[in-house]
Amino acid sequence: MPDSPRTPGERPAGARAFDALTAERGILFGGDYNPEQWPRDTWREDVELMQRAGVNVVTVGVFSWAMLEPTPGAREFGWLDEVLDLLHAGGISVDLATPTASPPPWLGVRHPETLPVDPDGVRLVAGSRNQFAPASRVYREAALAITRDLAERYRDHPAVRMWHVGNEFGQLDYGDEAARAFRDWLSARYGTIEALNEAWATAFWSQRYADFDEILPPRRAPYLINPTQSLDFRRYTSDELRACYLELRDAIRDTGAHQPITTNFMGPFHHADYWSWADEVDVISDDQYPDPADPDAPADIAFAQDLMRGLGGGAPWVLMEQAISAVQWRGHNLPKTPARARLDSLQAVARGADGISFFQWRQSRAGAERFHSGMLPHAGADTEVFAGVCRQGADLQRLRPVVGSRVAARTALLFDWSSWWAADEPARPTTRLTTLEQVQRWYRSLWRRNVPVDVVAHGADLTGYDLVVVPHSYVLEPPAAAALIAAAEHGAQVVIGPFSGVADVNGHILQGRSPVQLRGLVGASGEEWAGLPDAGAAVDLAGLTVAGAATAGILAEKLRSDGAEVLASFADGDLAGRPVVTRNAAGAGSAWYVGAVLGDDLLDAVLAEALAAAGVDGIRPEPSAEAATAAVEAVRRGDALFLLNRGDTPAQVRVPGEWVDLLTDETTDNLVTIAPWDARVLMERHHS
Ligand code: GAL
């Protein structure tokens, strides 16, 4: 297994503080708690019901700025003192949030420059939330001031065991302060305007700049924007948001606060390159809202969870927000059954979470989230929802033995934000190929086989993996390409997906037969990427078995083998006879090259073959009389084996050895049954 960048022994102090918290309290369980929306007499009831449910930590204060600072410079901490004391007396710990995600209306009224501006030049106003311009100096000062005072006041409060900076950093701003900050960022990146002109290829369309002062964010323009300008603006935006986070985090630390500090990520969120944020949080935390109506949601959430584990170098993370039942922000919102909600939480624990938390504790009775579910619904505690919450609390207490343990994987999947941004810029061969969708399609195929996957950054050392998949890495910088070559040399099966290794760090197209840097590795090369007709194309197979249709569609490369074995080729159309999938012996391993967007069945066959060649497989349910494919997700975390059945029929899994189910204390051996919409968490019994 590759060494994790943070092996348990050498975790930084903030991460160790998180480990100490979970060692003391077990898996964290709770939700966002917004007592400011309620009269005081509900607070006591809240604490009692939290205790009943087994809640041990709540996030407080996320949207409390206007309550804490009702007029400029005022401080109203009394109510928060009371809330924290009450929670502490009830044995509930607090993840205390800086209220900085939503400034009070007075800030924008007095200082319009703190408000974000959209690409059309429209200034957004208060009345919703998140109305701040990340680059605004006045906003930053105001956010710092309230954060300092909050941290000074509560750093030693015994309830406060964690800090939560802002909320879901993701604001976009194209205003004048953003323009200034973007120029500073560019000047730091490029040094001279000549270097910028080179990187942005401004010889095109008369875009040459004489001075950094002429540069603007990619606001609305008559036609297509320079793609490198756009790419750099995305990089800048992620960095500016990160700077906001860092400033507030450091302000908390500077008061002497010793608790772990985090901010909640949003899975594969487009506007923040979390690889560059990950080392700055003491524990990775994430918000996940699978749509119960979407059959792919469990797989796509598993991807987000594996990404979170990857961001933390394998360390435990926190599921900071999820819904216990329905959300209110989709067009049509299906609730989760309590059984589904329970499996969603257990899935996160299986994939490395040591904290399970919800948005929110008590369902709002008013405001834009009045129809968003809460752990304590409008109907109160005498509900199936609340009974489900209590059951989850009890389950999680039983899972204490998994705290701190890790998931091991022999398969790596590459995922990178800059490449995603560059690939998804407009004006490309097809908009039907998008990075996230391709990554998710490849991941789902591995997930259906219960293959453990580490999601890794471009350039990470891959030499410990047996299988490395690159679903769609449009930009592969030289270190990332070198890591793929090294992985194959060390014996890995390396599978490279379509339209990968096409562009450089600036999004400029590499010159030569593609994939330019990896031609030697893949033993094949192409001269042109072209859209395929809507009907797609049939594929002939040589050395692959496909259960279903062998097709390709969307985009394909005019490819030739330069020595690689051809496993599949086009059966008809303009590309008839040309390779679609190739395999090349490379070092002790092989490199597979996929020169088209494959249909689901063919993609599945390629990955199955590569898994077999790598000797990697996942735990699979026994063939079942009742269901053609039993829907069991199986994940090994440390000594525990999580088996989650999202199917309507019982499923069975062969588990050699003797096991005890942590959820029920039942012992089991060899063949275990998982009831429909139920879970088993088996711990191997070691006989001494
Ligand atoms: C999140 C947000 C929460 C809440 C939730 C509703 O994006 O952080 O405050 O609004 O969505 O699903």
Side-chain angles (χ1 to χ4, degrees):
M1 219 54 52
D3 272 351
S4 134
R6 289 179 186 166
T7 48
E10 56 193 34
R11 306 234 307 141
R16 289 201 308 271
F18 177 75
D19 295 344
L21 175 59
T22 51
E24 181 192 323
R25 306 235 54 179
I27 294 181
L28 307 180
F29 177 56
D32 277 29
Y33 181 40
N34 296 306
E36 63 271 37
Q37 295 177 13
W38 298 93
R40 273 188 171 66
D41 51 7
T42 57
W43 298 355
R44 269 174 210 290
E45 187 196 28
D46 284 328
V47 173
E48 275 165 34
L49 290 173
M50 285 175 191
Q51 288 169 335
R52 205 202 288 177
V55 164
N56 54 18
V57 59
V58 290
T59 300
V60 176
V62 177
F63 293 108
S64 62
W65 194 344
M67 304 292 280
L68 296 174
E69 188 174 1
T71 53
R75 294 291 182 260
E76 298 268 342
F77 285 124
W79 67 272
L80 189 53
D81 293 348
E82 233 179 285
V83 168
L84 297 190
D85 292 348
L86 205 60
L87 288 165
H88 181 61
I92 316 281
S93 297
V94 169
D95 167 31
L96 188 56
T98 71
T100 46
S102 264
W106 56 253
L107 187 70
V109 170
R110 290 176 177 236
H111 302 282
E113 75 276 19
T114 62
L115 296 166
V117 173
D118 79 4
D120 288 323
V122 176
R123 195 174 286 284
L124 310 182
V125 295
S128 175
R129 66 173 179 189
N130 300 91
Q131 74 290 355
F132 70 87
S136 157
R137 294 182 176 116
V138 172
Y139 163 74
R140 295 271 279 263
E141 276 311 316
L144 263 175
I146 188 75
T147 296
R148 279 193 198 108
D149 289 354
L150 189 81
E152 280 292 351
R153 188 172 186 96
Y154 298 113
R155 64 172 183 212
D156 295 323
H157 194 289
V160 177
R161 301 299 301 271
M162 182 142 84
W163 293 94
H164 182 293
V165 176
N167 191 55
E168 298 189 333
F169 278 98
Q171 290 67 28
L172 296 179
D173 176 36
Y174 296 78
D176 290 342
E177 290 220 63
R180 170 195 52 76
F182 184 38
R183 288 177 202 128
D184 290 348
W185 184 94
L186 290 167
S187 146
R189 183 176 175 90
Y190 294 110
T192 63
I193 197 67
E194 290 75 24
L196 176 136
N197 279 312
E198 198 57 34
W200 285 18
T202 54
F204 183 81
W205 282 354
S206 179
Q207 291 171 351
R208 178 162 291 274
Y209 294 98
D211 194 282
F212 282 100
D213 288 344
E214 298 165 3
I215 297 174
L216 290 169
R219 295 177 182 159
R220 185 76 57 223
Y223 187 44
L224 298 165
I225 301 260
N226 180 321
T228 316
Q229 177 186 0
S230 209
L231 175 60
D232 273 347
F233 189 70
R234 292 194 180 283
R235 291 180 172 133
Y236 149 77
T237 295
S238 177
D239 285 357
E240 192 69 58
L241 291 167
R242 182 172 167 275
C244 292
Y245 163 75
L246 290 177
E247 221 164 70
L248 299 176
R249 179 202 67 181
D250 293 347
I252 295 171
R253 232 0 131 225
D254 288 349
T255 65
H258 52 277
Q259 300 91 340
I261 305 179
T262 190
T263 183
N264 43 348
F265 292 167
M266 290 171 276
F269 173 67
H270 201 233
H271 303 315
D273 172 359
Y274 290 144
W275 291 118
S276 77
W277 290 58
D279 284 346
E280 307 296 347
V281 295
D282 295 325
V283 55
I284 301 283
S285 48
D286 196 41
D287 297 352
Q288 299 170 355
Y289 289 95
D291 183 352
D294 176 3
D296 286 327
D300 295 347
I301 287 294
F303 167 70
Q305 295 173 343
D306 290 356
L307 171 63
M308 292 306 131
R309 218 179 50 247
L311 289 166
W317 53 279
V318 171
L319 173 50
M320 188 60 88
E321 283 186 27
Q322 58 173 336
I324 189 71
S325 182
V327 301
Q328 94 300 8
W329 41 262
R330 294 192 175 100
H332 182 64
N333 301 294
L334 270 61
K336 291 181 183 174
T337 60
R340 179 189 287 267
R342 176 173 179 254
L343 291 190
D344 284 355
S345 293
L346 292 174
Q347 181 189 26
V349 179
R351 294 182 181 277
D354 273 357
I356 296 296
S357 185
F358 292 83
F359 178 84
Q360 60 176 327
W361 164 252
R362 190 184 274 271
Q363 182 174 23
S364 296
R365 62 184 165 178
E369 293 182 323
R370 65 204 179 287
F371 287 116
H372 191 294
S373 58
M375 298 162 84
L376 185 59
H378 293 152
D382 179 15
T383 49
E384 289 175 20
V385 167
F386 189 69
V389 168
C390 296
R391 181 171 190 205
Q392 288 201 32
D395 283 344
L396 295 177
Q397 277 165 23
R398 286 176 155 269
L399 295 186
R400 196 180 253 273
V402 306
V403 166
S405 61
R406 293 178 174 225
V407 175
R410 295 167 57 199
T411 298
L413 179 150
L414 261 62
F415 182 67
D416 174 81
W417 266 266
S418 267
S419 175
W420 180 10
W421 293 331
D424 289 4
E425 272 299 312
R428 56 189 199 267
T430 176
T431 52
R432 298 179 192 176
L433 174 71
T434 59
T435 298
L436 187 58
E437 195 186 330
Q438 289 308 309
V439 165
Q440 289 176 330
R441 286 183 70 226
W442 285 49
Y443 179 88
R444 283 175 207 147
S445 174
L446 299 166
W447 179 84
R448 281 193 292 270
R449 296 186 152 75
N450 285 322
V451 169
V453 174
D454 281 348
V455 180
V456 299
H458 278 187
D461 177 13
L462 303 169
T463 52
Y465 291 103
D466 296 307
L467 175 66
V468 175
V469 299
V470 186
H472 175 32
S473 287
Y474 175 75
V475 175
L476 270 174
E477 291 188 54
L484 293 174
I485 294 167
E489 264 160 19
H490 278 77
Q493 303 295 313
V494 176
V495 190
I496 298 164
F499 216 36
S500 291
V502 172
D504 71 9
V505 63
N506 298 317
H508 299 190
I509 307 305
L510 297 174
Q511 299 298 290
R513 295 184 64 87
S514 86
V516 175
Q517 307 163 90
L518 298 174
R519 275 186 65 184
L521 177 67
V522 302
S525 63
E527 66 175 79
E528 184 183 42
W529 283 97
L532 287 172
D534 287 352
V539 169
D540 285 334
L541 303 172
L544 278 177
T545 315
V546 178
T551 56
I554 300 181
L555 189 71
E557 187 167 26
K558 197 185 278 181
L559 191 65
R560 74 168 188 228
S561 166
D562 298 329
E565 181 188 352
V566 177
L567 300 178
S569 45
F570 282 104
D572 51 29
D574 292 350
L575 295 173
R578 292 186 185 273
V580 179
V581 182
T582 60
R583 178 174 52 200
N584 196 38
S590 303
W592 305 58
Y593 188 59
V594 178
V597 179
L598 304 183
D600 285 343
D601 296 333
L602 182 52
L603 174 60
D604 215 48
V606 169
L607 292 174
E609 250 334 282
L611 282 162
V616 175
D617 204 0
I619 298 163
R620 235 82 69 73
E622 293 295 292
S624 130
E626 284 135 311
T629 16
V632 172
E633 184 172 354
V635 186
R636 181 92 197 215
R637 178 178 176 191
D639 286 338
L641 174 61
F642 286 73
L643 300 170
L644 312 175
N645 182 5
R646 290 176 190 272
D648 294 327
T649 54
Q652 289 193 312
V653 173
R654 201 158 288 284
V655 284
E658 258 185 76
W659 305 78
V660 56
D661 188 337
L662 292 177
L663 296 173
T664 59
D665 289 339
E666 258 175 68
T667 56
T668 181
D669 56 18
N670 295 323
L671 197 62
V672 60
T673 302
I674 313 112
W677 292 97
D678 200 0
R680 300 285 209 141
V681 183
L682 304 180
M683 203 70 162
E684 204 155 3
R685 293 181 102 185
H686 297 290
H687 295 284
S688 45

